[in-house]
Amino acid sequence: MKAFLQKNVKHLKVIKAIIAALLGIMIVIDVVLVMLIDKGFPTFSWVVRDDRTALIWFTFLFGGLVAKIFYNRKVNLKQSELSGFLAFASILVLLYWLGQIITIKVSTPLELFLLVVGGFVAYRVWPQYS
């Protein structure tokens, strides 16, 4: 593991910079939305608090896209990537539909589970065919 980290120091610095920039942008946007709260603009905390169940598909998608971007698995086969994309998209549609009809409150551990499962499914089902 130490050899891998030493070999990829430049890539890790780029990843850290991207994540830090995204976090900074999110904080700035949230501050602006809090200042505009009188005009009815929702903040990120409102969306998470009020629409968590309806947005379970988004949590799954976020986990899958992070895994696809940072932990992409290459397969040395000549195949179309469409089948993996359609499998991932069908799970997204199912979660969207499920999030609209269920009335239970989704807890934080369940949302973390969806995030990790989204990453795992994207890693296993939707590889990068070369």
Side-chain angles (χ1 to χ4, degrees):
M1 181 70 169
K2 188 174 182 179
F4 174 77
L5 292 175
Q6 289 174 347
K7 187 175 164 182
N8 296 306
V9 171
K10 181 181 176 187
H11 298 294
L12 292 172
K13 286 182 181 180
V14 170
I15 291 170
K16 288 178 185 179
I18 290 171
I19 292 173
L22 290 175
L23 180 62
I25 290 169
M26 188 178 82
I27 290 171
V28 168
I29 290 172
D30 199 35
V31 167
V32 169
L33 290 175
V34 167
M35 292 188 319
L36 296 173
I37 204 165
D38 295 335
K39 296 182 180 180
F41 290 99
T43 63
F44 292 130
S45 57
W46 277 8
V47 172
V48 169
R49 183 190 68 211
D50 296 341
D51 298 329
R52 183 180 278 190
T53 302
L55 293 174
I56 59 174
W57 67 272
F58 186 70
T59 305
F60 184 83
L61 175 66
F62 183 69
L65 291 179
V66 167
K68 186 74 175 153
I69 292 168
F70 293 116
Y71 305 106
N72 198 7
R73 180 173 66 106
K74 290 197 177 201
V75 178
N76 292 326
L77 297 173
K78 299 284 184 189
Q79 290 183 355
S80 172
E81 211 172 323
L82 186 62
S83 62
F85 172 75
L86 290 177
F88 191 78
S90 65
I91 295 172
L92 278 177
V93 170
L94 176 70
L95 285 174
Y96 175 79
W97 176 74
L98 189 63
Q100 301 301 317
I101 64 168
I102 61 174
T103 58
I104 62 169
K105 186 79 170 171
V106 175
S107 63
T108 302
L110 180 60
E111 198 159 358
L112 177 65
F113 177 73
L114 279 169
L115 187 74
V116 171
V117 167
F120 181 74
V121 168
Y123 182 80
R124 296 301 301 167
V125 173
W126 188 13
Q128 178 72 40
Y129 294 107
S130 54

PDB file of all heavy atoms in Angstrom, residues 22 57-72 81 85 88-89 92 114-123 126:
ATOM      1  N   LEU A  22     -14.530  21.415  -4.575  1.00  0.00           N
ATOM      2  CA  LEU A  22     -15.968  21.130  -4.553  1.00  0.00           C
ATOM      3  C   LEU A  22     -16.582  21.446  -3.194  1.00  0.00           C
ATOM      4  O   LEU A  22     -17.692  21.981  -3.113  1.00  0.00           O
ATOM      5  CB  LEU A  22     -16.220  19.669  -4.929  1.00  0.00           C
ATOM      6  CG  LEU A  22     -15.958  19.297  -6.380  1.00  0.00           C
ATOM      7  CD1 LEU A  22     -16.118  17.798  -6.581  1.00  0.00           C
ATOM      8  CD2 LEU A  22     -16.883  20.055  -7.299  1.00  0.00           C
ATOM      9  N   TRP A  57     -32.265   8.008  -4.787  1.00  0.00           N
ATOM     10  CA  TRP A  57     -31.647   7.741  -6.088  1.00  0.00           C
ATOM     11  C   TRP A  57     -30.413   8.613  -6.285  1.00  0.00           C
ATOM     12  O   TRP A  57     -29.431   8.171  -6.870  1.00  0.00           O
ATOM     13  CB  TRP A  57     -32.643   7.973  -7.223  1.00  0.00           C
ATOM     14  CG  TRP A  57     -33.044   9.409  -7.375  1.00  0.00           C
ATOM     15  CD1 TRP A  57     -34.065  10.042  -6.739  1.00  0.00           C
ATOM     16  CD2 TRP A  57     -32.403  10.395  -8.181  1.00  0.00           C
ATOM     17  NE1 TRP A  57     -34.100  11.367  -7.115  1.00  0.00           N
ATOM     18  CE2 TRP A  57     -33.092  11.608  -7.997  1.00  0.00           C
ATOM     19  CE3 TRP A  57     -31.316  10.378  -9.045  1.00  0.00           C
ATOM     20  CZ2 TRP A  57     -32.731  12.778  -8.642  1.00  0.00           C
ATOM     21  CZ3 TRP A  57     -30.955  11.547  -9.688  1.00  0.00           C
ATOM     22  CH2 TRP A  57     -31.668  12.728  -9.489  1.00  0.00           C
ATOM     23  N   PHE A  58     -30.452   9.849  -5.794  1.00  0.00           N
ATOM     24  CA  PHE A  58     -29.333  10.770  -5.958  1.00  0.00           C
ATOM     25  C   PHE A  58     -28.129  10.315  -5.131  1.00  0.00           C
ATOM     26  O   PHE A  58     -26.983  10.423  -5.571  1.00  0.00           O
ATOM     27  CB  PHE A  58     -29.757  12.184  -5.566  1.00  0.00           C
ATOM     28  CG  PHE A  58     -28.712  13.216  -5.837  1.00  0.00           C
ATOM     29  CD1 PHE A  58     -28.402  13.574  -7.129  1.00  0.00           C
ATOM     30  CD2 PHE A  58     -28.030  13.823  -4.799  1.00  0.00           C
ATOM     31  CE1 PHE A  58     -27.432  14.518  -7.394  1.00  0.00           C
ATOM     32  CE2 PHE A  58     -27.060  14.766  -5.045  1.00  0.00           C
ATOM     33  CZ  PHE A  58     -26.756  15.119  -6.343  1.00  0.00           C
ATOM     34  N   THR A  59     -28.383   9.799  -3.933  1.00  0.00           N
ATOM     35  CA  THR A  59     -27.305   9.277  -3.097  1.00  0.00           C
ATOM     36  C   THR A  59     -26.625   8.098  -3.789  1.00  0.00           C
ATOM     37  O   THR A  59     -25.402   8.005  -3.826  1.00  0.00           O
ATOM     38  CB  THR A  59     -27.858   8.851  -1.723  1.00  0.00           C
ATOM     39  OG1 THR A  59     -28.537   9.946  -1.134  1.00  0.00           O
ATOM     40  CG2 THR A  59     -26.764   8.369  -0.812  1.00  0.00           C
ATOM     41  N   PHE A  60     -27.431   7.206  -4.340  1.00  0.00           N
ATOM     42  CA  PHE A  60     -26.900   6.052  -5.073  1.00  0.00           C
ATOM     43  C   PHE A  60     -26.101   6.518  -6.288  1.00  0.00           C
ATOM     44  O   PHE A  60     -25.003   6.017  -6.554  1.00  0.00           O
ATOM     45  CB  PHE A  60     -28.062   5.153  -5.493  1.00  0.00           C
ATOM     46  CG  PHE A  60     -27.640   3.887  -6.172  1.00  0.00           C
ATOM     47  CD1 PHE A  60     -27.266   2.791  -5.427  1.00  0.00           C
ATOM     48  CD2 PHE A  60     -27.628   3.790  -7.552  1.00  0.00           C
ATOM     49  CE1 PHE A  60     -26.884   1.615  -6.051  1.00  0.00           C
ATOM     50  CE2 PHE A  60     -27.255   2.631  -8.184  1.00  0.00           C
ATOM     51  CZ  PHE A  60     -26.875   1.539  -7.426  1.00  0.00           C
ATOM     52  N   LEU A  61     -26.627   7.486  -7.027  1.00  0.00           N
ATOM     53  CA  LEU A  61     -25.948   8.016  -8.205  1.00  0.00           C
ATOM     54  C   LEU A  61     -24.626   8.669  -7.829  1.00  0.00           C
ATOM     55  O   LEU A  61     -23.612   8.471  -8.503  1.00  0.00           O
ATOM     56  CB  LEU A  61     -26.845   9.026  -8.921  1.00  0.00           C
ATOM     57  CG  LEU A  61     -26.236   9.766 -10.113  1.00  0.00           C
ATOM     58  CD1 LEU A  61     -25.949   8.797 -11.243  1.00  0.00           C
ATOM     59  CD2 LEU A  61     -27.148  10.878 -10.563  1.00  0.00           C
ATOM     60  N   PHE A  62     -24.609   9.436  -6.754  1.00  0.00           N
ATOM     61  CA  PHE A  62     -23.380  10.097  -6.323  1.00  0.00           C
ATOM     62  C   PHE A  62     -22.306   9.077  -5.976  1.00  0.00           C
ATOM     63  O   PHE A  62     -21.149   9.216  -6.380  1.00  0.00           O
ATOM     64  CB  PHE A  62     -23.662  11.017  -5.136  1.00  0.00           C
ATOM     65  CG  PHE A  62     -22.465  11.787  -4.685  1.00  0.00           C
ATOM     66  CD1 PHE A  62     -21.927  12.786  -5.467  1.00  0.00           C
ATOM     67  CD2 PHE A  62     -21.859  11.503  -3.473  1.00  0.00           C
ATOM     68  CE1 PHE A  62     -20.813  13.496  -5.065  1.00  0.00           C
ATOM     69  CE2 PHE A  62     -20.741  12.200  -3.057  1.00  0.00           C
ATOM     70  CZ  PHE A  62     -20.218  13.206  -3.852  1.00  0.00           C
ATOM     71  N   GLY A  63     -22.673   8.044  -5.232  1.00  0.00           N
ATOM     72  CA  GLY A  63     -21.711   6.993  -4.906  1.00  0.00           C
ATOM     73  C   GLY A  63     -21.192   6.295  -6.153  1.00  0.00           C
ATOM     74  O   GLY A  63     -20.001   6.011  -6.273  1.00  0.00           O
ATOM     75  N   GLY A  64     -22.077   6.039  -7.103  1.00  0.00           N
ATOM     76  CA  GLY A  64     -21.673   5.385  -8.332  1.00  0.00           C
ATOM     77  C   GLY A  64     -20.752   6.245  -9.183  1.00  0.00           C
ATOM     78  O   GLY A  64     -19.772   5.758  -9.742  1.00  0.00           O
ATOM     79  N   LEU A  65     -21.046   7.540  -9.277  1.00  0.00           N
ATOM     80  CA  LEU A  65     -20.208   8.409 -10.091  1.00  0.00           C
ATOM     81  C   LEU A  65     -18.843   8.648  -9.458  1.00  0.00           C
ATOM     82  O   LEU A  65     -17.840   8.733 -10.173  1.00  0.00           O
ATOM     83  CB  LEU A  65     -20.915   9.737 -10.351  1.00  0.00           C
ATOM     84  CG  LEU A  65     -22.136   9.643 -11.265  1.00  0.00           C
ATOM     85  CD1 LEU A  65     -22.775  11.013 -11.435  1.00  0.00           C
ATOM     86  CD2 LEU A  65     -21.787   9.030 -12.598  1.00  0.00           C
ATOM     87  N   VAL A  66     -18.788   8.728  -8.140  1.00  0.00           N
ATOM     88  CA  VAL A  66     -17.484   8.859  -7.475  1.00  0.00           C
ATOM     89  C   VAL A  66     -16.649   7.612  -7.726  1.00  0.00           C
ATOM     90  O   VAL A  66     -15.456   7.703  -8.030  1.00  0.00           O
ATOM     91  CB  VAL A  66     -17.670   9.118  -5.964  1.00  0.00           C
ATOM     92  CG1 VAL A  66     -16.367   8.935  -5.203  1.00  0.00           C
ATOM     93  CG2 VAL A  66     -18.209  10.523  -5.728  1.00  0.00           C
ATOM     94  N   ALA A  67     -17.272   6.450  -7.637  1.00  0.00           N
ATOM     95  CA  ALA A  67     -16.532   5.211  -7.913  1.00  0.00           C
ATOM     96  C   ALA A  67     -16.110   5.143  -9.376  1.00  0.00           C
ATOM     97  O   ALA A  67     -15.006   4.693  -9.689  1.00  0.00           O
ATOM     98  CB  ALA A  67     -17.393   3.999  -7.565  1.00  0.00           C
ATOM     99  N   LYS A  68     -16.966   5.592 -10.269  1.00  0.00           N
ATOM    100  CA  LYS A  68     -16.640   5.547 -11.700  1.00  0.00           C
ATOM    101  C   LYS A  68     -15.504   6.503 -12.038  1.00  0.00           C
ATOM    102  O   LYS A  68     -14.660   6.202 -12.866  1.00  0.00           O
ATOM    103  CB  LYS A  68     -17.900   5.905 -12.503  1.00  0.00           C
ATOM    104  CG  LYS A  68     -17.767   5.767 -13.976  1.00  0.00           C
ATOM    105  CD  LYS A  68     -17.777   4.328 -14.390  1.00  0.00           C
ATOM    106  CE  LYS A  68     -17.762   4.255 -15.905  1.00  0.00           C
ATOM    107  NZ  LYS A  68     -17.189   3.067 -16.394  1.00  0.00           N
ATOM    108  N   ILE A  69     -15.454   7.648 -11.386  1.00  0.00           N
ATOM    109  CA  ILE A  69     -14.419   8.634 -11.677  1.00  0.00           C
ATOM    110  C   ILE A  69     -13.093   8.273 -11.020  1.00  0.00           C
ATOM    111  O   ILE A  69     -12.044   8.283 -11.653  1.00  0.00           O
ATOM    112  CB  ILE A  69     -14.877  10.036 -11.229  1.00  0.00           C
ATOM    113  CG1 ILE A  69     -16.027  10.514 -12.111  1.00  0.00           C
ATOM    114  CG2 ILE A  69     -13.730  11.034 -11.278  1.00  0.00           C
ATOM    115  CD1 ILE A  69     -16.738  11.731 -11.598  1.00  0.00           C
ATOM    116  N   PHE A  70     -13.116   7.942  -9.739  1.00  0.00           N
ATOM    117  CA  PHE A  70     -11.868   7.765  -8.996  1.00  0.00           C
ATOM    118  C   PHE A  70     -11.398   6.321  -8.909  1.00  0.00           C
ATOM    119  O   PHE A  70     -10.217   6.070  -8.718  1.00  0.00           O
ATOM    120  CB  PHE A  70     -12.004   8.344  -7.587  1.00  0.00           C
ATOM    121  CG  PHE A  70     -12.148   9.830  -7.576  1.00  0.00           C
ATOM    122  CD1 PHE A  70     -13.300  10.424  -7.109  1.00  0.00           C
ATOM    123  CD2 PHE A  70     -11.136  10.642  -8.053  1.00  0.00           C
ATOM    124  CE1 PHE A  70     -13.432  11.799  -7.096  1.00  0.00           C
ATOM    125  CE2 PHE A  70     -11.255  12.019  -8.049  1.00  0.00           C
ATOM    126  CZ  PHE A  70     -12.412  12.599  -7.566  1.00  0.00           C
ATOM    127  N   TYR A  71     -12.297   5.349  -8.993  1.00  0.00           N
ATOM    128  CA  TYR A  71     -11.925   3.950  -8.824  1.00  0.00           C
ATOM    129  C   TYR A  71     -12.418   3.117 -10.000  1.00  0.00           C
ATOM    130  O   TYR A  71     -12.984   2.046  -9.823  1.00  0.00           O
ATOM    131  CB  TYR A  71     -12.507   3.395  -7.516  1.00  0.00           C
ATOM    132  CG  TYR A  71     -12.127   4.205  -6.319  1.00  0.00           C
ATOM    133  CD1 TYR A  71     -13.056   5.032  -5.697  1.00  0.00           C
ATOM    134  CD2 TYR A  71     -10.845   4.168  -5.817  1.00  0.00           C
ATOM    135  CE1 TYR A  71     -12.708   5.797  -4.601  1.00  0.00           C
ATOM    136  CE2 TYR A  71     -10.489   4.929  -4.716  1.00  0.00           C
ATOM    137  CZ  TYR A  71     -11.426   5.728  -4.126  1.00  0.00           C
ATOM    138  OH  TYR A  71     -11.086   6.481  -3.052  1.00  0.00           O
ATOM    139  N   ASN A  72     -12.214   3.595 -11.210  1.00  0.00           N
ATOM    140  CA  ASN A  72     -12.725   2.926 -12.396  1.00  0.00           C
ATOM    141  C   ASN A  72     -11.985   1.614 -12.631  1.00  0.00           C
ATOM    142  O   ASN A  72     -10.778   1.536 -12.501  1.00  0.00           O
ATOM    143  CB  ASN A  72     -12.567   3.843 -13.602  1.00  0.00           C
ATOM    144  CG  ASN A  72     -13.438   3.433 -14.741  1.00  0.00           C
ATOM    145  OD1 ASN A  72     -14.270   2.545 -14.610  1.00  0.00           O
ATOM    146  ND2 ASN A  72     -13.274   4.084 -15.869  1.00  0.00           N
ATOM    147  N   GLU A  81     -20.060  -0.433 -23.545  1.00  0.00           N
ATOM    148  CA  GLU A  81     -20.262  -0.043 -22.156  1.00  0.00           C
ATOM    149  C   GLU A  81     -21.742   0.194 -21.858  1.00  0.00           C
ATOM    150  O   GLU A  81     -22.123   0.446 -20.725  1.00  0.00           O
ATOM    151  CB  GLU A  81     -19.469   1.238 -21.886  1.00  0.00           C
ATOM    152  CG  GLU A  81     -18.974   1.362 -20.484  1.00  0.00           C
ATOM    153  CD  GLU A  81     -18.031   2.531 -20.311  1.00  0.00           C
ATOM    154  OE1 GLU A  81     -17.239   2.826 -21.208  1.00  0.00           O
ATOM    155  OE2 GLU A  81     -18.106   3.141 -19.240  1.00  0.00           O
ATOM    156  N   PHE A  85     -24.075   0.533 -18.238  1.00  0.00           N
ATOM    157  CA  PHE A  85     -24.767   1.799 -17.996  1.00  0.00           C
ATOM    158  C   PHE A  85     -26.263   1.576 -17.822  1.00  0.00           C
ATOM    159  O   PHE A  85     -26.890   2.155 -16.929  1.00  0.00           O
ATOM    160  CB  PHE A  85     -24.513   2.768 -19.151  1.00  0.00           C
ATOM    161  CG  PHE A  85     -25.342   4.012 -19.073  1.00  0.00           C
ATOM    162  CD1 PHE A  85     -25.029   5.000 -18.157  1.00  0.00           C
ATOM    163  CD2 PHE A  85     -26.441   4.175 -19.892  1.00  0.00           C
ATOM    164  CE1 PHE A  85     -25.801   6.143 -18.071  1.00  0.00           C
ATOM    165  CE2 PHE A  85     -27.215   5.309 -19.806  1.00  0.00           C
ATOM    166  CZ  PHE A  85     -26.895   6.302 -18.890  1.00  0.00           C
ATOM    167  N   PHE A  88     -26.993   0.071 -14.399  1.00  0.00           N
ATOM    168  CA  PHE A  88     -26.897   1.098 -13.358  1.00  0.00           C
ATOM    169  C   PHE A  88     -28.088   2.049 -13.436  1.00  0.00           C
ATOM    170  O   PHE A  88     -28.677   2.411 -12.414  1.00  0.00           O
ATOM    171  CB  PHE A  88     -25.580   1.862 -13.511  1.00  0.00           C
ATOM    172  CG  PHE A  88     -25.255   2.757 -12.365  1.00  0.00           C
ATOM    173  CD1 PHE A  88     -24.745   2.250 -11.190  1.00  0.00           C
ATOM    174  CD2 PHE A  88     -25.464   4.126 -12.457  1.00  0.00           C
ATOM    175  CE1 PHE A  88     -24.448   3.071 -10.127  1.00  0.00           C
ATOM    176  CE2 PHE A  88     -25.174   4.957 -11.405  1.00  0.00           C
ATOM    177  CZ  PHE A  88     -24.658   4.435 -10.236  1.00  0.00           C
ATOM    178  N   ALA A  89     -28.470   2.449 -14.647  1.00  0.00           N
ATOM    179  CA  ALA A  89     -29.598   3.366 -14.821  1.00  0.00           C
ATOM    180  C   ALA A  89     -30.913   2.727 -14.401  1.00  0.00           C
ATOM    181  O   ALA A  89     -31.793   3.406 -13.845  1.00  0.00           O
ATOM    182  CB  ALA A  89     -29.681   3.828 -16.265  1.00  0.00           C
ATOM    183  N   LEU A  92     -31.192   3.053 -10.772  1.00  0.00           N
ATOM    184  CA  LEU A  92     -31.540   4.438 -10.448  1.00  0.00           C
ATOM    185  C   LEU A  92     -33.033   4.698 -10.611  1.00  0.00           C
ATOM    186  O   LEU A  92     -33.660   5.337  -9.767  1.00  0.00           O
ATOM    187  CB  LEU A  92     -30.767   5.415 -11.329  1.00  0.00           C
ATOM    188  CG  LEU A  92     -29.364   5.740 -10.921  1.00  0.00           C
ATOM    189  CD1 LEU A  92     -28.723   6.661 -11.946  1.00  0.00           C
ATOM    190  CD2 LEU A  92     -29.330   6.371  -9.558  1.00  0.00           C
ATOM    191  N   LEU A 114     -26.475   3.272   1.022  1.00  0.00           N
ATOM    192  CA  LEU A 114     -26.810   3.498  -0.384  1.00  0.00           C
ATOM    193  C   LEU A 114     -25.638   4.102  -1.148  1.00  0.00           C
ATOM    194  O   LEU A 114     -25.393   3.759  -2.304  1.00  0.00           O
ATOM    195  CB  LEU A 114     -28.016   4.426  -0.503  1.00  0.00           C
ATOM    196  CG  LEU A 114     -29.378   3.796  -0.322  1.00  0.00           C
ATOM    197  CD1 LEU A 114     -30.444   4.877  -0.209  1.00  0.00           C
ATOM    198  CD2 LEU A 114     -29.693   2.862  -1.457  1.00  0.00           C
ATOM    199  N   LEU A 115     -24.903   4.991  -0.501  1.00  0.00           N
ATOM    200  CA  LEU A 115     -23.744   5.621  -1.125  1.00  0.00           C
ATOM    201  C   LEU A 115     -22.672   4.583  -1.446  1.00  0.00           C
ATOM    202  O   LEU A 115     -22.138   4.539  -2.561  1.00  0.00           O
ATOM    203  CB  LEU A 115     -23.194   6.702  -0.198  1.00  0.00           C
ATOM    204  CG  LEU A 115     -22.098   7.587  -0.717  1.00  0.00           C
ATOM    205  CD1 LEU A 115     -22.666   8.577  -1.719  1.00  0.00           C
ATOM    206  CD2 LEU A 115     -21.463   8.338   0.435  1.00  0.00           C
ATOM    207  N   VAL A 116     -22.385   3.715  -0.490  1.00  0.00           N
ATOM    208  CA  VAL A 116     -21.357   2.685  -0.672  1.00  0.00           C
ATOM    209  C   VAL A 116     -21.810   1.637  -1.693  1.00  0.00           C
ATOM    210  O   VAL A 116     -21.039   1.217  -2.553  1.00  0.00           O
ATOM    211  CB  VAL A 116     -21.002   2.040   0.691  1.00  0.00           C
ATOM    212  CG1 VAL A 116     -20.108   0.828   0.502  1.00  0.00           C
ATOM    213  CG2 VAL A 116     -20.345   3.058   1.596  1.00  0.00           C
ATOM    214  N   VAL A 117     -23.076   1.248  -1.621  1.00  0.00           N
ATOM    215  CA  VAL A 117     -23.591   0.264  -2.575  1.00  0.00           C
ATOM    216  C   VAL A 117     -23.590   0.843  -3.990  1.00  0.00           C
ATOM    217  O   VAL A 117     -23.279   0.136  -4.957  1.00  0.00           O
ATOM    218  CB  VAL A 117     -25.002  -0.216  -2.158  1.00  0.00           C
ATOM    219  CG1 VAL A 117     -25.684  -0.976  -3.267  1.00  0.00           C
ATOM    220  CG2 VAL A 117     -24.905  -1.081  -0.922  1.00  0.00           C
ATOM    221  N   GLY A 118     -23.906   2.119  -4.133  1.00  0.00           N
ATOM    222  CA  GLY A 118     -23.841   2.757  -5.446  1.00  0.00           C
ATOM    223  C   GLY A 118     -22.439   2.702  -6.020  1.00  0.00           C
ATOM    224  O   GLY A 118     -22.246   2.424  -7.204  1.00  0.00           O
ATOM    225  N   GLY A 119     -21.449   2.959  -5.181  1.00  0.00           N
ATOM    226  CA  GLY A 119     -20.065   2.860  -5.628  1.00  0.00           C
ATOM    227  C   GLY A 119     -19.679   1.448  -5.995  1.00  0.00           C
ATOM    228  O   GLY A 119     -19.008   1.205  -7.005  1.00  0.00           O
ATOM    229  N   PHE A 120     -20.100   0.483  -5.201  1.00  0.00           N
ATOM    230  CA  PHE A 120     -19.761  -0.915  -5.471  1.00  0.00           C
ATOM    231  C   PHE A 120     -20.428  -1.409  -6.753  1.00  0.00           C
ATOM    232  O   PHE A 120     -19.800  -2.093  -7.561  1.00  0.00           O
ATOM    233  CB  PHE A 120     -20.170  -1.798  -4.284  1.00  0.00           C
ATOM    234  CG  PHE A 120     -19.821  -3.236  -4.479  1.00  0.00           C
ATOM    235  CD1 PHE A 120     -18.517  -3.666  -4.380  1.00  0.00           C
ATOM    236  CD2 PHE A 120     -20.806  -4.165  -4.779  1.00  0.00           C
ATOM    237  CE1 PHE A 120     -18.183  -4.993  -4.564  1.00  0.00           C
ATOM    238  CE2 PHE A 120     -20.488  -5.490  -4.979  1.00  0.00           C
ATOM    239  CZ  PHE A 120     -19.177  -5.907  -4.869  1.00  0.00           C
ATOM    240  N   VAL A 121     -21.689  -1.046  -6.946  1.00  0.00           N
ATOM    241  CA  VAL A 121     -22.405  -1.480  -8.148  1.00  0.00           C
ATOM    242  C   VAL A 121     -21.772  -0.864  -9.393  1.00  0.00           C
ATOM    243  O   VAL A 121     -21.594  -1.537 -10.410  1.00  0.00           O
ATOM    244  CB  VAL A 121     -23.907  -1.135  -8.042  1.00  0.00           C
ATOM    245  CG1 VAL A 121     -24.608  -1.294  -9.377  1.00  0.00           C
ATOM    246  CG2 VAL A 121     -24.566  -1.999  -6.992  1.00  0.00           C
ATOM    247  N   ALA A 122     -21.418   0.414  -9.326  1.00  0.00           N
ATOM    248  CA  ALA A 122     -20.777   1.052 -10.477  1.00  0.00           C
ATOM    249  C   ALA A 122     -19.425   0.407 -10.761  1.00  0.00           C
ATOM    250  O   ALA A 122     -19.046   0.242 -11.921  1.00  0.00           O
ATOM    251  CB  ALA A 122     -20.610   2.543 -10.240  1.00  0.00           C
ATOM    252  N   TYR A 123     -18.713   0.031  -9.725  1.00  0.00           N
ATOM    253  CA  TYR A 123     -17.400  -0.600  -9.901  1.00  0.00           C
ATOM    254  C   TYR A 123     -17.534  -1.980 -10.545  1.00  0.00           C
ATOM    255  O   TYR A 123     -16.759  -2.340 -11.416  1.00  0.00           O
ATOM    256  CB  TYR A 123     -16.700  -0.705  -8.550  1.00  0.00           C
ATOM    257  CG  TYR A 123     -15.322  -1.304  -8.629  1.00  0.00           C
ATOM    258  CD1 TYR A 123     -14.230  -0.538  -9.033  1.00  0.00           C
ATOM    259  CD2 TYR A 123     -15.103  -2.629  -8.302  1.00  0.00           C
ATOM    260  CE1 TYR A 123     -12.963  -1.080  -9.111  1.00  0.00           C
ATOM    261  CE2 TYR A 123     -13.842  -3.185  -8.373  1.00  0.00           C
ATOM    262  CZ  TYR A 123     -12.775  -2.406  -8.777  1.00  0.00           C
ATOM    263  OH  TYR A 123     -11.525  -2.947  -8.863  1.00  0.00           O
ATOM    264  N   TRP A 126     -20.469  -1.697 -14.090  1.00  0.00           N
ATOM    265  CA  TRP A 126     -20.236  -0.725 -15.155  1.00  0.00           C
ATOM    266  C   TRP A 126     -18.737  -0.467 -15.340  1.00  0.00           C
ATOM    267  O   TRP A 126     -18.254   0.628 -15.106  1.00  0.00           O
ATOM    268  CB  TRP A 126     -20.977   0.549 -14.805  1.00  0.00           C
ATOM    269  CG  TRP A 126     -21.048   1.611 -15.824  1.00  0.00           C
ATOM    270  CD1 TRP A 126     -20.739   1.538 -17.147  1.00  0.00           C
ATOM    271  CD2 TRP A 126     -21.452   2.960 -15.599  1.00  0.00           C
ATOM    272  NE1 TRP A 126     -20.927   2.728 -17.751  1.00  0.00           N
ATOM    273  CE2 TRP A 126     -21.369   3.628 -16.828  1.00  0.00           C
ATOM    274  CE3 TRP A 126     -21.860   3.665 -14.469  1.00  0.00           C
ATOM    275  CZ2 TRP A 126     -21.684   4.962 -16.951  1.00  0.00           C
ATOM    276  CZ3 TRP A 126     -22.182   4.983 -14.597  1.00  0.00           C
ATOM    277  CH2 TRP A 126     -22.106   5.630 -15.832  1.00  0.00           C
TER     278      TRP A 126
END
